[in-house]
Protein backbone atom coordinates (compact mmCIF):
# COMPACT_ATOMS: atom_id res chain seq x y z
CA UNK A 1 0.00 0.00 0.00
CA UNK A 2 0.89 3.64 -0.27
CA UNK A 3 3.41 4.87 2.22
CA UNK A 4 3.23 8.52 1.17
CA UNK A 5 -0.12 10.22 0.96
CA UNK A 6 -0.86 13.52 -0.74
CA UNK A 7 -3.93 15.62 -0.23
CA UNK A 8 -5.86 16.93 -2.02
CA UNK A 9 -5.50 14.92 -5.18
CA UNK A 10 -7.22 17.66 -7.16
CA UNK A 11 -7.89 21.27 -6.30
CA UNK A 12 -9.28 24.23 -8.17
CA UNK A 13 -8.68 27.68 -6.82
CA UNK A 14 -9.29 31.21 -7.94
CA UNK A 15 -6.49 33.38 -9.17
CA UNK A 16 -4.95 35.36 -6.35
CA UNK A 17 -5.81 32.91 -3.60
CA UNK A 18 -3.49 30.52 -1.80
CA UNK A 19 -3.73 26.76 -1.74
CA UNK A 20 -2.06 24.22 0.51
CA UNK A 21 -1.03 20.70 -0.45
CA UNK A 22 -0.14 18.17 2.22
CA UNK A 23 2.29 15.30 2.00
CA UNK A 24 2.29 12.68 4.72
CA UNK A 25 4.50 9.69 5.33
CA UNK A 26 2.18 7.02 6.63
CA UNK A 27 4.32 4.49 8.43
CA UNK A 28 7.78 5.94 8.64
CA UNK A 29 9.45 9.10 9.76
CA UNK A 30 10.39 11.17 6.76
CA UNK A 31 13.52 13.09 7.61
CA UNK A 32 13.62 14.52 4.10
CA UNK A 33 10.82 15.41 1.75
CA UNK A 34 10.99 16.65 -1.80
CA UNK A 35 8.53 18.66 -3.85
CA UNK A 36 8.31 18.43 -7.61
CA UNK A 37 6.11 20.00 -10.23
CA UNK A 38 5.29 18.48 -13.54
CA UNK A 39 3.70 20.12 -16.56
CA UNK A 40 1.78 17.94 -19.03
CA UNK A 41 3.99 15.65 -21.05
CA UNK A 42 7.09 16.89 -19.29
CA UNK A 43 9.36 15.50 -16.64
CA UNK A 44 9.41 16.19 -12.93
CA UNK A 45 11.21 19.35 -11.93
CA UNK A 46 12.53 19.44 -8.39
CA UNK A 47 11.31 22.53 -6.60
CA UNK A 48 12.74 22.14 -3.14
CA UNK A 49 14.11 19.77 -0.54
CA UNK A 50 12.92 20.03 3.01
CA UNK A 51 14.41 18.53 6.12
CA UNK A 52 12.31 18.27 9.24
CA UNK A 53 12.71 21.25 11.48
CA UNK A 54 14.78 23.35 9.11
CA UNK A 55 14.17 25.68 6.20
CA UNK A 56 13.64 24.18 2.79
CA UNK A 57 16.36 24.35 0.17
CA UNK A 58 14.93 25.67 -3.07
CA UNK A 59 16.18 24.91 -6.54
CA UNK A 60 17.39 27.71 -8.72
CA UNK A 61 14.55 29.66 -10.25
CA UNK A 62 11.93 28.59 -7.70
CA UNK A 63 10.45 31.49 -5.76
CA UNK A 64 10.56 30.61 -2.09
CA UNK A 65 8.08 33.34 -1.17
CA UNK A 66 5.59 32.00 -3.64
CA UNK A 67 5.98 28.31 -2.87
CA UNK A 68 6.07 28.06 0.90
CA UNK A 69 7.25 24.74 2.23
CA UNK A 70 6.86 23.68 5.82
CA UNK A 71 8.21 20.43 7.25
CA UNK A 72 7.20 20.83 10.83
CA UNK A 73 7.00 17.17 11.75
CA UNK A 74 8.60 13.93 10.68
CA UNK A 75 5.43 12.81 8.96
CA UNK A 76 4.11 15.96 7.35
CA UNK A 77 5.30 18.50 4.83
CA UNK A 78 3.12 21.12 3.24
CA UNK A 79 3.46 23.16 0.07
CA UNK A 80 1.49 26.39 -0.07
CA UNK A 81 1.16 28.11 -3.41
CA UNK A 82 0.57 31.74 -2.54
CA UNK A 83 -1.26 34.23 -4.74
CA UNK A 84 -1.80 31.53 -7.32
CA UNK A 85 -1.98 32.38 -11.00
CA UNK A 86 -3.11 30.27 -13.95
CA UNK A 87 0.50 29.57 -14.88
CA UNK A 88 0.89 27.80 -11.52
CA UNK A 89 -1.56 25.17 -12.70
CA UNK A 90 0.39 21.95 -12.68
CA UNK A 91 0.80 18.52 -11.16
CA UNK A 92 2.66 18.70 -7.85
CA UNK A 93 4.29 15.56 -6.46
CA UNK A 94 5.96 15.03 -3.15
CA UNK A 95 8.35 12.30 -2.13
CA UNK A 96 9.85 11.25 1.14
CA UNK A 97 12.93 9.52 2.39
CA UNK A 98 13.34 8.44 5.96
CA UNK A 99 15.15 6.43 8.57
CA UNK A 100 14.62 2.71 8.53
CA UNK A 101 13.83 2.78 4.84
CA UNK A 102 17.38 3.17 3.62
CA UNK A 103 17.78 5.19 0.48
CA UNK A 104 14.37 4.34 -0.87
CA UNK A 105 12.37 7.38 -1.85
CA UNK A 106 8.61 7.00 -1.88
CA UNK A 107 6.36 9.17 -3.98
CA UNK A 108 2.91 10.45 -3.31
CA UNK A 109 0.14 10.16 -5.87
CA UNK A 110 0.40 13.80 -6.80
CA UNK A 111 -1.94 16.76 -6.65
CA UNK A 112 -3.48 18.46 -9.64
CA UNK A 113 -3.76 22.20 -9.16
CA UNK A 114 -5.90 24.24 -11.50
CA UNK A 115 -5.96 28.00 -11.04
CA UNK A 116 -8.89 29.72 -12.73
CA UNK B 1 17.90 21.43 -13.29
CA UNK B 2 17.52 18.17 -15.10
CA UNK B 3 20.27 15.65 -14.83
CA UNK B 4 20.14 14.23 -18.30
CA UNK B 5 18.25 13.04 -21.25
CA UNK B 6 16.32 10.02 -22.27
CA UNK B 7 15.76 8.65 -25.67
CA UNK B 8 13.66 8.08 -27.44
CA UNK B 9 11.21 10.71 -26.23
CA UNK B 10 8.38 8.56 -27.53
CA UNK B 11 8.25 4.91 -28.51
CA UNK B 12 5.36 2.99 -30.01
CA UNK B 13 5.57 -0.77 -30.49
CA UNK B 14 3.34 -3.78 -30.91
CA UNK B 15 2.32 -5.90 -27.97
CA UNK B 16 4.78 -8.73 -27.44
CA UNK B 17 7.76 -6.81 -28.75
CA UNK B 18 10.61 -5.63 -26.56
CA UNK B 19 10.98 -1.97 -25.63
CA UNK B 20 14.33 -0.35 -24.94
CA UNK B 21 14.73 3.09 -23.41
CA UNK B 22 17.98 4.88 -22.77
CA UNK B 23 19.00 7.44 -20.21
CA UNK B 24 22.10 9.58 -19.99
CA UNK B 25 23.25 11.65 -17.06
CA UNK B 26 25.92 14.23 -16.45
CA UNK B 27 27.49 13.84 -13.02
CA UNK B 28 28.78 10.95 -10.93
CA UNK B 29 26.03 9.07 -9.14
CA UNK B 30 25.32 6.81 -6.20
CA UNK B 31 22.33 5.09 -7.73
CA UNK B 32 20.15 5.21 -10.78
CA UNK B 33 16.49 4.37 -10.58
CA UNK B 34 13.75 3.81 -13.10
CA UNK B 35 10.15 4.83 -12.51
CA UNK B 36 6.92 4.40 -14.40
CA UNK B 37 4.16 6.97 -14.48
CA UNK B 38 0.71 6.40 -15.86
CA UNK B 39 -0.94 9.49 -17.24
CA UNK B 40 -1.89 11.91 -14.48
CA UNK B 41 -0.76 9.60 -11.73
CA UNK B 42 2.11 9.31 -9.29
CA UNK B 43 5.32 7.44 -9.81
CA UNK B 44 5.85 3.73 -9.45
CA UNK B 45 9.34 2.62 -8.55
CA UNK B 46 10.58 -0.08 -10.89
CA UNK B 47 14.18 -0.82 -10.14
CA UNK B 48 17.31 0.64 -8.56
CA UNK B 49 20.80 -0.06 -9.79
CA UNK B 50 23.83 1.00 -7.80
CA UNK B 51 26.84 2.66 -9.32
CA UNK B 52 28.94 -0.48 -8.80
CA UNK B 53 26.44 -2.69 -10.60
CA UNK B 54 26.33 -3.21 -14.33
CA UNK B 55 23.08 -5.10 -14.85
CA UNK B 56 19.98 -5.90 -12.90
CA UNK B 57 16.85 -7.89 -13.60
CA UNK B 58 13.36 -7.75 -12.19
CA UNK B 59 10.70 -9.84 -13.89
CA UNK B 60 10.41 -8.60 -17.48
CA UNK B 61 12.68 -5.66 -16.75
CA UNK B 62 16.38 -5.53 -17.43
CA UNK B 63 18.44 -2.50 -16.53
CA UNK B 64 22.03 -1.86 -17.49
CA UNK B 65 24.36 0.82 -16.24
CA UNK B 66 27.55 2.05 -17.87
CA UNK B 67 29.18 4.57 -15.58
CA UNK B 68 32.01 5.21 -18.01
CA UNK B 69 29.46 6.46 -20.54
CA UNK B 70 27.13 7.85 -17.89
CA UNK B 71 24.23 5.98 -19.39
CA UNK B 72 21.62 3.40 -18.52
CA UNK B 73 19.08 1.41 -20.44
CA UNK B 74 15.76 -0.12 -19.49
CA UNK B 75 14.54 -3.12 -21.45
CA UNK B 76 10.99 -4.35 -21.11
CA UNK B 77 10.56 -7.75 -22.67
CA UNK B 78 7.35 -9.23 -24.05
CA UNK B 79 5.55 -5.92 -23.72
CA UNK B 80 1.89 -5.73 -22.74
CA UNK B 81 -0.73 -3.06 -23.28
CA UNK B 82 -0.58 -2.33 -19.56
CA UNK B 83 3.05 -1.25 -19.97
CA UNK B 84 1.83 1.87 -21.76
CA UNK B 85 3.14 4.72 -19.60
CA UNK B 86 5.94 7.24 -19.30
CA UNK B 87 9.24 5.94 -18.00
CA UNK B 88 11.76 8.09 -16.19
CA UNK B 89 15.25 7.52 -14.97
CA UNK B 90 16.37 9.36 -11.87
CA UNK B 91 19.77 9.76 -10.31
CA UNK B 92 21.12 10.87 -6.98
CA UNK B 93 24.57 12.33 -7.20
CA UNK B 94 27.50 11.87 -4.88
CA UNK B 95 26.83 13.71 -1.65
CA UNK B 96 23.39 14.76 -2.82
CA UNK B 97 20.21 13.57 -1.23
CA UNK B 98 17.83 14.53 -4.00
CA UNK B 99 16.63 12.65 -7.06
CA UNK B 100 16.92 14.36 -10.40
CA UNK B 101 14.82 13.06 -13.26
CA UNK B 102 15.49 12.60 -16.92
CA UNK B 103 13.10 13.86 -19.56
CA UNK B 104 11.27 10.56 -19.82
CA UNK B 105 10.14 8.25 -22.59
CA UNK B 106 6.47 7.92 -23.47
CA UNK B 107 5.90 4.28 -24.30
CA UNK B 108 2.81 3.14 -26.15
CA UNK B 109 2.07 -0.55 -26.57
CA UNK B 110 -0.36 -1.23 -29.38
CA UNK B 111 -2.58 -4.28 -28.96
Amino acid sequence: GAVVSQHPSRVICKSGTSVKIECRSLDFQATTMFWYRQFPKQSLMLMATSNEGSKATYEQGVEKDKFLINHASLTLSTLTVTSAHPEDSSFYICSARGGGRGNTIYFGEGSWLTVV
Amino acid sequence: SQQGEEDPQALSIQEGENATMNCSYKTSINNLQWYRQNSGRGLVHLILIRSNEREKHSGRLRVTLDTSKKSSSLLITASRAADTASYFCATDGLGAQKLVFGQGTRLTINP
Side-chain angles (χ1 to χ4, degrees):
Chain A
V3 296
V4 175
S5 172
Q6 256 184 266
H7 178 79
S9 58
R10 291 182 179 273
V11 58
I12 300 173
C13 72
K14 292 184 178 180
S15 187
T17 62
S18 296
V19 60
K20 181 185 289 186
I21 301 170
E22 294 185 348
C23 179
R24 294 181 183 273
S25 58
L26 298 182
D27 60 356
F28 69 100
Q29 294 184 327
T31 51
T32 306
M33 286 186 169
F34 308 88
W35 287 95
Y36 294 82
R37 68 185 297 182
Q38 183 182 32
F39 292 109
K41 297 186 178 180
Q42 294 188 23
S43 186
L44 284 76
M45 296 291 295
L46 181 65
M47 299 174 67
T49 302
S50 72
N51 292 297
E52 186 266 338
S54 61
K55 291 183 178 180
T57 302
Y58 289 81
E59 295 298 304
Q60 193 173 10
V62 178
E63 299 175 60
K64 61 180 181 181
D65 293 330
K66 180 169 182 62
F67 299 99
L68 300 179
I69 292 172
N70 184 286
H71 191 167
S73 79
L74 284 170
T75 59
L76 174 64
S77 177
T78 60
L79 167 67
T80 301
V81 182
T82 63
S83 187
H85 289 101
E87 57 265 32
D88 297 324
S89 298
S90 186
F91 191 52
Y92 292 87
I93 307 177
C94 74
S95 64
R97 163 187 272 165
R101 296 266 180 173
N103 283 323
T104 302
I105 295 178
Y106 297 92
F107 283 81
E109 278 292 307
S111 300
W112 280 103
L113 169 64
T114 302
V115 184
V116 297
Chain B
S1 61
Q2 292 304 104
Q3 169 69 296
E5 299 181 355
E6 292 180 61
D7 81 275
Q9 291 188 345
L11 178 62
S12 181
I13 61 174
Q14 293 300 120
E15 195 167 21
E17 295 179 341
N18 296 339
T20 299
M21 291 159 272
N22 302 295
C23 164
S24 62
Y25 55 93
K26 298 177 182 175
T27 61
S28 296
I29 61 171
N30 287 318
N31 308 298
L32 185 144
Q33 305 184 54
W34 284 89
Y35 289 84
R36 184 184 74 224
Q37 183 183 36
N38 289 88
S39 181
R41 302 295 301 276
L43 296 174
V44 175
H45 183 261
L46 296 176
I47 197 165
L48 178 152
I49 186 165
R50 302 186 190 285
S51 60
N52 62 354
E53 297 176 311
R54 292 296 167 259
E55 187 171 312
K56 205 162 183 179
H57 297 255
S58 177
R60 293 184 295 115
L61 306 180
R62 173 178 169 254
V63 168
T64 63
L65 178 64
D66 187 335
T67 53
S68 67
K69 295 181 179 178
K70 291 187 169 57
S71 67
S72 174
S73 68
L74 170 66
L75 168 68
I76 303 175
T77 61
S79 64
R80 305 168 181 169
D83 295 330
T84 294
S86 290
Y87 291 82
F88 296 94
C89 68
T91 56
D92 58 340
L94 298 179
Q97 56 178 341
K98 59 189 181 184
L99 275 182
V100 179
F101 284 80
Q103 293 298 318
T105 295
R106 293 191 305 279
L107 176 65
T108 303
I109 308 299
N110 301 304

